[in-house]
């Protein structure tokens, strides 16, 4: 039973192992790599918002991005390199991804929808240290490409040199590999004996690129079998197909796969002659002798018939042997013809290789000359930079600043633009203006709207606890009866005055309170209305805060503070708390719409022209 080892990361080889075991193979799971998800910054994820096309390199790329839950343009077109990646895209995002017929980078780049991508925003969701072919080709086609690295492959923490010894003890005959990283993990730090054993194993790989990389490890191409992709179905088909070919090659070349038996040797046994008497004397033949003679004849005829059957069987076997000999001769002739054809093909291949080598040398010389010419032209013209990409990023920053009032988002876009310009000379003045704009945007501190709203709410809860500024009515001053009449005649004038006062007291009573000013008193309804007015002003300030109307906010706070100062005791603790809170709220810098002018706008326009 052939033993197949599956080296895919954990959780990805179980289905293939089950298929192999059902087909009569022995399958073992032995992951040599582990997948670690990364956390990109908001700047790296921001291109997904305006992406026209999103390309996923693998299943892990889809799963890792889905866990981040980023904001993605709903109108973006999705692409997947392989079938399993496309299935994962549909399971996670509910979108059918475009899939090439050839499940690799070359097949993806051959899609018609990726042929003309000039000016398109493309995001490549990939792993760390992947192939740069897709990114280079799409950039060369004029696309605005952004790499979003969401995971990385790492060898599992184990002694690699012990792997091969363990596999050899398990009598592993075939190894499944789906990435160059797995090749590096397996062929790292091996002894000469371990390397020789590995080179004798059969390898089932997912692409020609992995096969070429295996050949660099001195593995013979005869031991490398390339599947139609990395999917379980493609890998299983490759293993089964190669296993069938090996079984056919191991069968002997005979008719009906039967080994001819040697013909039986004819019997040389001589039957004894039956004597009926002596040489010199005649004897009378008895009945017993006759019976014995009959029995002997019967036995002799049976033996003769058996000999005749064996003789015919030997002839039939001789005929079969002759037929097999003829077939072997024909097969030998066909084999000689195949060898002759193979020799002719090898000679033709050798001639073709010579022609191809000559053509390659000629092409290399032409390419070198063209490269020199291009380098000279590039040195004369300076480093090239796509003005459309720079202008697009600048407009995006302006939109976030003036339309969305997103100062941090505008700063992030300008930082991305500055990183792009840093790779090209002749952009010093533009980068200086961008740096100044970034500093201005970063210095704008956001208004603590929630904290101010909670302070206003705290003032609302304390208004009912305020003590009104009312006074108690003092006691009446003691009255001295100064209107008593005198008996002295000379006091007649005083007696007349006193009599008048008594007469007046009969109609009007006047009382006086010494040293105390009595303020007007407030009814309960008036007190309730004052409290409601203060609450109304505080609530109006909250609404103005949420609608970003600073003038209404400060007017409402000022009116509420005036009412508290006018109608409530200033020495009361609750009044002091409310007054201090309103004073602090009056000092809040509510600059909802700061005037910001981007210095880089004019610089980018002049540079683009």
């Amino acid at each position: 039973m052939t033993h197949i080892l599956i080296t895919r990361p954990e959780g990805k080889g179980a289905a293939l192992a089950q298929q192999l075991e059902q087909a009569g193979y022995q399958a073992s799971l032995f992951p040599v790599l582990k997948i670690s998800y990364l956390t990109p910054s908001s700047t790296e994820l921001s291109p997904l918002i305006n992406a026209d096309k999103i390309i996923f390199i693998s299943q892990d790329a889809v799963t890792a991005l889905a866990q981040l839950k980023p904001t993605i343009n709903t109108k973006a077109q999705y692409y997947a390199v392989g079938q399993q990646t496309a299935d994962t895209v549909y399971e996670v995002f509910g979108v059918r991804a475009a899939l090439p017929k050839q499940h690799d980078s070359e097949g993806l780049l051959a899609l018609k929808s990726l042929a003309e991508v000039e000016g398109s925003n493309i995001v490549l969701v990939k792993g760390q240290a992947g192939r740069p072919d897709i990114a280079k080709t799409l950039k060369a086609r004029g696309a605005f490409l952004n790499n979003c690295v969401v995971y990385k492959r790492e060898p599992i923490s184990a002694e690699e040199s012990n792997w091969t010894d363990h596999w050899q003890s398990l009598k592993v005959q075939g190894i499944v590999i789906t990435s160059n990283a797995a090749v590096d993990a397996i062929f790292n730090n091996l002894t000469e004996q371990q390397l020789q054993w590995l080179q004798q194993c059969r390898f089932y790989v997912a692409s020609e690129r992995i096969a070429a990389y295996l050949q660099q490890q001195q593995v013979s191409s005869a031991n490398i079998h390339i599947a139609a992709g990395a999917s379980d179905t493609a890998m299983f088909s490759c293993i089964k197909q190669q296993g069938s070919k090996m079984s056919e090659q191991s069968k002997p070349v005979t008719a009906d796969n039967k080994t001819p038996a040697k013909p039986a040797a004819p019997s040389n046994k001589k039957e004894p002659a039956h004597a009926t008497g002596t040489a010199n004397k005649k004897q009378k033949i008895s009945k017993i002798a006759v019976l014995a003679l009959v029995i002997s004849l019967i036995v002799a005829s049976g033996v003769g018939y058996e000999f005749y059957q064996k003789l015919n069987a030997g002839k039939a076997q001789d005929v079969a042997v002759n037929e097999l000999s003829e077939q072997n001769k024909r097969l030998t002739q066909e084999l000689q013809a195949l060898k002759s054809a193979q020799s002719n093909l090898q000679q033709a291949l050798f001639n073709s290789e010579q022609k191809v080598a000559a053509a390659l040398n000629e092409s290399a010389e032409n390419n070198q000359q063209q490269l020199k010419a291009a380098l000279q032209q590039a040195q004369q013209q300076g480093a090239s930079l796509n003005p459309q990409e720079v202008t697009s990023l600048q407009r995006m920053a302006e939109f976030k600043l003036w339309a969305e009032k997103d100062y941090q988002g505008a700063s992030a876009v300008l930082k991305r633009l500055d990183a792009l310009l840093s790779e090209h000379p002749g952009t010093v003045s533009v980068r200086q203006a961008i740096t100044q704009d970034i500093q201005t945007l970063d210095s704008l501190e956001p208004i603590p709207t929630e904290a101010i709203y909670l302070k206003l709410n705290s003032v609302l809860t304390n208004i009912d606890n305020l003590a009104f500024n009312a006074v108690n009515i003092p006691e009446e001053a003691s009255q001295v009866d100064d209107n008593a009449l005198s008996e002295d005649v000379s006091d007649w004038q005083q007696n007349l005055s006193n009599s008048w006062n008594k007469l007046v007291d009969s109609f009007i009573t006047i009382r006086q309170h010494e040293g105390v000013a009595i303020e007007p008193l407030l009814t309960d309804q008036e007190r309730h209305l004052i409290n409601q007015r203060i609450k109304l002003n505080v609530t109006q300030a909250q609404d103005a805060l949420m609608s970003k109307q600073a003038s209404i906010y400060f007017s409402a706070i000022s009116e509420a503070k005036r009412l508290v100062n006018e109608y409530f005791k200033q020495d009361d603790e609750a009044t002091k708390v409310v007054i201090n809170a309103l004073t602090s709220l009056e000092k809040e810098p509510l600059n909802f719409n700061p005037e910001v002018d981007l210095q880089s706008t004019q610089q980018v326009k002049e540079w683009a022209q």
Side-chain angles (χ1 to χ4, degrees):
M1 183 182 295
T2 304
H3 193 170
I4 304 297
L5 186 74
I6 303 172
T7 64
R8 302 195 69 181
E10 186 174 355
K12 294 187 178 183
L16 177 59
Q18 185 178 4
Q19 285 182 302
L20 291 173
E21 289 177 353
Q22 291 175 353
Y25 292 86
Q26 181 182 357
S28 297
L29 296 175
F30 198 99
V32 298
L33 298 174
K34 64 179 180 179
I35 304 297
S36 301
Y37 292 162
L38 305 177
T39 305
S41 63
S42 58
T43 303
E44 294 174 328
L45 294 175
S46 60
L48 291 168
I49 301 174
N50 302 312
D52 298 318
K53 301 176 187 294
I54 303 174
I55 301 174
F56 293 96
I57 297 299
S58 63
Q59 294 175 265
D60 296 311
V62 181
T63 307
L65 183 66
Q67 290 188 358
L68 297 173
K69 297 180 179 179
T71 302
I72 302 177
N73 182 14
T74 56
K75 297 182 180 179
Q77 186 176 3
Y78 291 71
Y79 292 84
V81 175
Q83 182 63 53
Q84 290 182 331
T85 304
D87 295 340
T88 308
V89 170
Y90 183 74
E91 292 175 2
V92 175
F93 298 104
V95 179
R96 293 293 183 186
L99 182 67
K101 293 182 180 179
Q102 180 180 341
H103 296 170
D104 54 17
S105 301
E106 290 74 14
L108 181 74
L109 293 171
L111 291 174
K112 293 182 179 180
S113 56
L114 291 177
E116 297 181 0
V117 292
E118 185 174 358
S120 299
N121 292 321
I122 300 178
V123 178
L124 184 61
V125 186
K126 53 177 290 189
Q128 195 177 69
R131 293 180 66 193
D133 297 357
I134 297 177
K136 288 183 178 179
T137 304
L138 293 178
K139 278 188 175 181
R141 294 176 181 177
F144 300 147
L145 189 74
N146 296 277
N147 290 324
C148 185
V149 181
V150 293
Y151 73 96
K152 64 178 179 179
R153 290 190 181 99
E154 295 177 314
I156 61 174
S157 55
E159 293 293 334
E160 294 87 346
S161 59
N162 295 335
W163 293 351
T164 51
D165 295 337
H166 177 61
W167 298 345
Q168 191 172 2
S169 65
L170 295 177
K171 297 181 179 179
V172 171
Q173 297 166 290
I175 302 175
V176 174
I177 297 179
T178 57
S179 67
N180 285 350
V183 177
D184 291 333
I186 294 173
F187 284 85
N188 188 26
N189 298 327
L190 297 178
T191 63
E192 185 66 24
Q193 183 178 1
Q194 292 168 342
L195 180 61
Q196 290 178 357
W197 179 81
L198 273 177
Q199 291 170 349
Q200 295 175 358
C201 293
R202 295 190 297 275
F203 291 89
Y204 304 96
V205 300
S207 65
E208 294 182 358
R209 175 175 57 89
I210 304 175
Y213 196 65
L214 261 177
Q215 291 180 8
Q216 296 179 11
Q217 308 298 330
Q218 300 179 1
V219 178
S220 174
S221 59
N223 291 336
I224 301 175
H225 308 293
I226 304 173
S231 65
D232 294 337
T233 303
M235 198 62 67
F236 175 74
S237 299
C238 178
I239 296 173
K240 190 174 181 181
Q241 182 180 6
Q242 296 301 324
S244 300
K245 290 182 179 180
M246 293 184 63
S247 299
E248 292 176 359
Q249 292 174 0
S250 62
K251 293 179 180 179
V253 185
T254 59
D256 299 330
N257 292 332
K258 295 181 180 179
T259 304
K262 293 182 180 180
S267 176
N268 294 322
K269 184 178 180 181
K270 296 182 179 180
E271 296 296 329
H274 294 278
T276 60
T278 62
N280 297 321
K281 295 181 179 180
K282 293 182 179 180
Q283 297 181 355
K284 185 179 180 180
I285 301 175
S286 64
K287 294 181 179 179
I288 296 175
V290 173
L291 180 62
L293 179 60
V294 172
I295 294 173
S296 298
L297 290 174
I298 293 173
V299 172
S301 62
V303 173
Y305 179 76
E306 183 180 359
F307 173 75
Y308 176 76
Q309 291 291 336
K310 289 183 178 181
L311 182 61
N312 290 337
K315 290 181 178 180
Q317 290 178 351
D318 290 338
V319 172
V321 170
N322 293 332
E323 289 179 355
L324 289 176
S325 299
E326 292 296 329
Q327 290 180 358
N328 286 333
K329 289 180 180 179
R330 289 196 298 268
L331 290 174
T332 302
Q333 293 174 357
E334 292 177 1
L335 181 60
Q336 293 295 335
L338 288 175
K339 288 182 178 180
S340 177
Q342 182 182 8
S343 177
N344 295 333
L345 288 175
Q346 288 178 347
Q347 184 63 34
L349 179 61
F350 178 74
N351 296 334
S352 299
E353 288 179 350
Q354 288 183 336
K355 293 180 180 179
V356 170
L360 288 175
N361 292 332
E362 184 180 357
S363 177
E365 292 177 359
N366 295 334
N367 291 336
Q368 190 172 5
Q369 292 177 358
Q370 293 177 1
L371 180 60
K372 288 182 180 179
L375 289 175
Q376 291 176 357
Q377 184 178 1
Q379 291 175 357
Q380 294 175 359
Q381 295 180 355
S384 61
L385 181 63
N386 193 341
Q388 293 182 355
E389 185 174 3
V390 176
T391 305
S392 175
L393 289 174
Q394 180 65 29
R395 290 176 180 174
M396 187 186 299
E398 295 171 0
F399 177 79
K400 287 188 173 294
L401 173 62
W402 294 322
E404 298 181 355
K405 302 297 181 182
D406 184 5
Y407 305 111
Q408 300 300 322
S411 176
V413 175
L414 288 176
K415 290 177 181 177
R416 179 181 167 195
L417 177 57
D418 181 65
L420 176 64
L421 294 174
S422 64
E423 301 177 357
H424 302 275
T427 59
V428 177
S429 59
V430 180
R431 292 189 62 200
Q432 289 177 351
I434 292 174
T435 303
Q436 183 177 357
D437 290 341
I438 292 173
Q439 293 175 354
T440 302
L441 293 172
D442 291 342
S443 65
L444 296 176
E445 297 182 358
I447 297 174
T449 305
E450 295 180 357
I452 297 174
Y453 190 92
L454 292 175
K455 287 183 181 179
L456 290 170
N457 195 58
S458 176
V459 172
L460 278 175
T461 57
N462 290 328
I463 289 175
D464 292 333
N465 299 329
L466 300 178
F468 279 89
N469 188 18
V471 297
N472 296 324
I473 299 176
E475 296 179 358
E476 297 180 355
S478 59
Q479 297 291 331
V480 179
D481 190 8
D482 294 333
N483 296 327
L485 299 177
S486 175
E487 296 180 356
D488 191 353
V489 178
S490 58
D491 294 333
W492 63 273
Q493 291 180 342
Q494 183 65 35
N495 289 337
L496 182 61
S497 175
N498 291 340
S499 297
W500 171 254
N501 289 334
K502 287 183 178 181
L503 180 63
V504 171
D505 286 342
S506 300
F507 299 96
I508 301 174
T509 301
I510 298 176
R511 296 180 176 87
Q512 295 180 352
H513 300 278
E514 298 178 354
V516 177
I518 301 175
E519 298 180 1
L521 301 178
L522 298 174
T523 64
D524 291 340
Q525 184 178 3
E526 289 173 336
R527 294 186 181 191
H528 178 71
L529 290 175
I530 291 172
N531 284 342
Q532 293 302 315
R533 284 183 61 188
I534 298 173
K535 291 180 179 179
L536 179 62
N537 282 286
V538 175
T539 304
Q540 187 178 15
Q542 287 180 328
D543 294 339
L545 176 67
M546 301 309 295
S547 60
K548 299 183 179 181
Q549 297 177 345
S551 59
I552 298 177
Y553 169 85
F554 288 114
S555 177
I557 294 295
S558 178
E559 179 63 17
K561 183 178 179 182
R562 184 189 68 78
L563 291 173
V564 173
N565 286 327
E566 183 175 349
Y567 289 101
F568 297 94
K569 292 182 179 181
Q570 301 300 307
D571 56 348
D572 187 71
E573 189 64 30
T575 305
K576 291 180 180 179
V577 171
V578 172
I579 291 294
N580 291 335
L582 291 174
T583 303
S584 174
L585 290 169
E586 278 184 326
K587 297 178 181 180
E588 291 290 346
L590 301 183
N591 188 7
F592 292 109
N593 297 309
E595 295 182 0
V596 180
D597 294 328
L598 295 180
Q599 304 295 328
S600 57
T601 300
Q602 186 62 29
Q603 293 290 339
V604 170
K605 288 182 180 179
E606 294 178 356
W607 177 85
Q609 293 176 355

